[in-house]
Amino acid sequence: MSTVPTPTAGNDAALTQQQQFFEDVQASLKKWTDSIIILPLRRWHSFRSFFADPAIDPRQAINNLLLNEIAQLRNEEPRLADILTARFLQDEKVRVVANRLNLDESRIHTLQAEGLARICGALWRREQAALMEHRQQWLHRFDLPATSRLVGI
């Protein structure tokens, strides 16, 4: 089941990047309790600062960021946040969550996908802003030529 919303405009490379980002966020949630340091979000601009400073534990920083996104989701859609918390943070099985919330297992999967899409969308917007900032920093490093004509040709 895909958590990536269908695009409205067709840029295949951007869609593939967005799909990879969504998969990396979902993988980070799934590895919430693992002690493995290999984190799928390492490659993205908005998360690179967590890996640059040795004083910051990258796992803890990413978990805190994901917790904040779930908390923001809780303000808008408490049920979705509860499902994500139970499934990923507390590592509960779908059956357990479905029984506790008195919902069908397929409905839990649907709501989980919706919650993931909301969190991934918010993080994707953050990633795009970080990428634009990174590009602006690079553009400011280059001096613009004083003339538009080539000299010496």
Side-chain angles (χ1 to χ4, degrees):
M1 177 182 318
S2 176
T3 60
V4 179
T6 20
T8 53
N11 184 349
D12 291 339
L15 177 61
T16 302
Q17 257 192 333
Q18 188 176 12
Q19 286 173 329
Q20 184 62 52
F21 182 82
F22 282 26
E23 289 171 9
D24 288 350
V25 170
Q26 186 172 5
S28 291
L29 281 167
K30 285 182 178 179
K31 295 175 187 279
W32 184 270
T33 56
D34 290 355
S35 61
I36 299 172
I37 298 300
I38 300 169
L39 301 171
L41 292 171
R42 177 181 291 259
R43 75 182 113 213
W44 301 101
H45 288 283
S46 56
F47 296 95
R48 285 188 181 160
S49 63
F50 300 146
F51 299 98
D53 187 354
I56 298 174
D57 176 26
R59 160 72 65 203
Q60 190 64 38
I62 288 175
N63 283 357
N64 286 338
L65 180 65
L66 293 171
L67 270 176
N68 289 339
E69 289 301 326
I70 291 173
Q72 288 180 2
L73 180 62
R74 188 174 309 285
N75 293 334
E76 301 166 10
E77 293 286 340
R79 178 182 271 184
L80 297 180
D82 289 343
I83 290 170
L84 291 179
T85 300
R87 290 284 295 127
F88 295 112
L89 280 57
Q90 298 167 355
D91 201 25
E92 292 182 5
K93 302 288 183 198
V94 174
R95 184 179 334 110
V96 173
V97 177
N99 286 338
R100 184 168 35 83
L101 297 176
N102 199 23
L103 294 171
D104 189 58
E105 289 182 30
S106 64
R107 183 70 179 142
I108 295 296
H109 284 291
T110 302
L111 292 171
Q112 176 181 312
E114 185 181 332
L116 280 171
R118 299 272 299 265
I119 285 178
C120 289
L123 290 172
W124 179 250
R125 288 186 293 279
R126 177 189 177 110
E127 172 64 20
Q128 293 303 300
L131 183 59
M132 290 303 294
E133 182 181 331
H134 179 73
R135 287 180 181 161
Q136 289 300 322
Q137 289 173 353
W138 273 101
L139 285 176
H140 288 298
R141 290 182 181 184
F142 298 112
D143 291 329
L144 295 176
T147 179
S148 61
R149 295 179 23 191
L150 293 176
V151 178
I153 296 183

